[in-house]
Amino acid sequence: MFDEFVSRHPKGHILQTWEWGQVKAFTGWKPLPMVLERDGQVVGAILILKRRLPIPGLERSIFYAPRGPVIDVHDRELFAALITEVRKLARKHRAIFLKIDPDVPASDEEFVRLLRENGFKKTVTAEGFEGVQPTFVFRLDISPSEEELLGRMSSKTRYNIRLAVRKGVKVYPMETKEQLPVFYSILKETAERDNFLIRGYDYFSTIWDELVPQGLARFFLAEYEGKVIAGTLALKLGSKVWYSYGASSNQHRNVMPNYLLQWSMIRWAQQEGCTLYDFRGVSGELREDNPLYGLYRFKKGFGGEFVEFVGEWDKVFSPFFYWLWEWALPLYYRGTRWIIRWRKRGGRKQGHATYAE
């Protein structure tokens, strides 16, 4: 009932599915799916992820609903009723606040007013691309024909797709989990080259176990001269597909496998009956000197629409502990780290105790 409603709702999102809750359970979150019914019919849903604060003696937790809730975002009565039920759940689990980052454009002023009316406050975990979920994305309507989609791309993007084909790059979906280590090894290579952190192998293994058999995810590989040189992960729900992870080897980047991978995933999404392809995060700063501008240019080249979401909003249930969460605890942790570094530099020489980070 929960996933069926989420999958067919216009605001349904893969991050609001029961299966995604199982993936996050692997990382320490407890999934709390909830539905709102009216006259025996489900009219709203929200997947809440709960995490207990790691502070001894403090029985408090936080709630997070990635890209939730799934509801008519302009129905004041329904939205207020859902938040009332969430408040009851928060009391039971001693939650300090609920964080949401809905799949709603920033231009939707009516929804922003609705958020404020229900006691939500705008907040920022980090700017734009670095937030819990990206504030800025590229989205492509893939309901037109392949010819039309190619025609809407930049000439460079079309050229690079055709170049990869001419060079003999082959793209295919992973059929067995035994191929997953190949994808992960290239992802590690990408992370080392581009200096970003990635999750451990077991996380992607969990994604395979929970999502792939249910048709909610698909891994793709690009091969050149018999060797895998790039890979991607696509998440799928209903009529929507999200490009989630991309990896590329340091070798043979000149044969443009990433362009052909994206085009192959778009064609696959069309064959699956999807109408929306989401390239996910890009930077909101569009200056050419931005280190992330190349990523923006790459995704923009496929002819999608640049979308800004409303961002992160918090519904506070415990003002005092929320204040601790926002201000006191970060200051405490920063101060503790400073003391640790100071003692590591000179503490031992002066006979002081030292602590391990």
Side-chain angles (χ1 to χ4, degrees):
M1 178 175 64
F2 182 88
D3 269 4
E4 181 184 356
F5 174 81
V6 172
S7 65
R8 59 182 170 80
H9 195 278
K11 289 300 174 185
H13 199 285
I14 187 67
L15 303 186
Q16 278 290 291
T17 59
W18 185 90
E19 287 85 357
W20 186 254
Q22 301 310 299
V23 172
K24 298 306 291 181
F26 171 79
T27 65
W29 294 87
K30 180 178 180 178
L32 301 171
M34 174 189 292
V35 295
L36 182 68
E37 295 185 357
R38 183 171 61 185
D39 299 327
Q41 299 292 321
V42 178
V43 291
I46 184 169
L47 172 67
I48 296 171
L49 302 176
K50 168 194 170 183
R51 186 185 286 276
R52 289 186 57 183
L53 295 182
I55 303 175
L58 186 60
E59 296 294 325
R60 293 283 173 171
S61 64
I62 60 173
F63 278 3
Y64 173 45
R67 291 300 192 229
V70 181
I71 200 168
D72 182 346
V73 295
H74 298 131
D75 191 317
R76 281 175 158 73
E77 180 183 346
L78 282 185
F79 191 84
L82 181 65
I83 299 307
T84 296
E85 295 304 314
V86 171
R87 178 186 288 276
K88 294 177 184 177
L89 191 66
R91 191 177 302 120
K92 176 181 177 182
H93 290 270
R94 299 175 66 81
I96 296 171
F97 65 93
L98 165 70
K99 179 180 291 294
I100 63 174
D101 42 28
D103 186 346
V104 179
S107 58
D108 193 333
E109 297 179 0
E110 182 181 350
F111 179 63
V112 171
R113 287 194 297 269
L114 181 60
L115 286 171
R116 297 191 188 280
E117 288 172 6
N118 283 273
F120 281 84
K121 57 169 286 188
K122 186 76 173 68
T123 185
V124 179
T125 299
E127 294 295 335
F129 186 71
E130 301 295 334
V132 181
Q133 296 298 326
T135 303
F136 307 94
V137 302
F138 264 107
R139 287 183 151 181
L140 179 65
D141 175 10
I142 58 173
S143 56
S145 66
E146 291 184 11
E147 292 73 19
E148 290 179 86
L149 290 176
L150 284 167
R152 296 176 185 181
M153 295 179 189
S154 71
S155 57
K156 181 178 180 180
T157 298
R158 284 196 305 273
Y159 175 83
N160 286 336
I161 291 171
R162 289 164 179 162
L163 173 66
V165 174
R166 288 200 307 272
K167 293 291 184 178
V169 176
K170 305 295 183 184
V171 173
Y172 54 89
M174 284 171 44
E175 299 297 340
T176 67
K177 192 176 179 180
E178 283 67 31
Q179 297 170 290
L180 191 57
V182 177
F183 168 83
Y184 190 71
S185 66
I186 298 176
L187 184 62
K188 286 199 300 182
E189 189 174 336
T190 306
E192 291 167 4
R193 180 185 67 236
D194 296 338
N195 194 31
F196 64 84
L197 298 176
I198 58 171
R199 297 184 182 273
Y201 174 82
D202 287 346
Y203 179 76
F204 294 92
S205 177
T206 302
I207 286 179
W208 182 286
D209 293 339
E210 298 294 342
L211 301 183
V212 172
Q214 288 72 30
L216 299 176
R218 200 81 190 261
F219 289 86
F220 291 83
L221 298 175
E223 187 177 281
Y224 177 66
E225 295 183 344
K227 182 179 180 180
V228 175
I229 60 171
T232 52
L233 168 62
L235 304 177
K236 174 184 173 292
L237 182 70
S239 62
K240 306 170 187 175
V241 166
W242 294 265
Y243 161 52
S244 187
Y245 283 91
S248 61
S249 170
N250 294 331
Q251 297 179 323
H252 307 300
R253 299 177 72 188
N254 60 314
V255 297
M256 303 299 170
N258 294 329
Y259 287 89
L260 187 57
L261 270 166
Q262 290 296 331
W263 177 232
S264 298
M265 287 197 297
I266 289 170
R267 296 176 66 197
W268 164 78
Q270 282 186 317
Q271 293 163 9
E272 291 288 309
C274 297
T275 56
L276 179 68
Y277 186 91
D278 192 321
F279 288 89
R280 296 197 78 232
V282 292
S283 172
E285 295 184 14
L286 307 182
R287 304 187 318 271
E288 292 193 14
D289 60 346
N290 186 324
L292 294 172
Y293 185 78
L295 181 66
Y296 165 85
R297 185 173 53 200
F298 170 74
K299 295 182 179 182
K300 182 178 185 295
F302 287 87
E305 176 188 6
F306 181 68
V307 177
E308 178 184 359
F309 291 124
V310 294
E312 298 173 24
W313 293 77
D314 288 355
K315 171 67 176 177
V316 179
F317 304 119
S318 176
F320 172 71
F321 284 105
Y322 185 76
W323 174 81
L324 285 178
W325 169 266
E326 272 203 317
W327 301 105
L329 285 176
L331 287 173
Y332 168 76
Y333 286 130
R334 283 200 294 271
T336 300
R337 286 194 293 269
W338 183 87
I339 292 171
I340 290 170
R341 288 194 294 269
W342 177 80
R343 286 177 170 172
K344 281 184 174 180
R345 287 196 298 268
R348 284 197 178 93
K349 294 179 181 178
Q350 300 174 18
H352 296 307
T354 58
Y355 302 89
E357 291 189 68

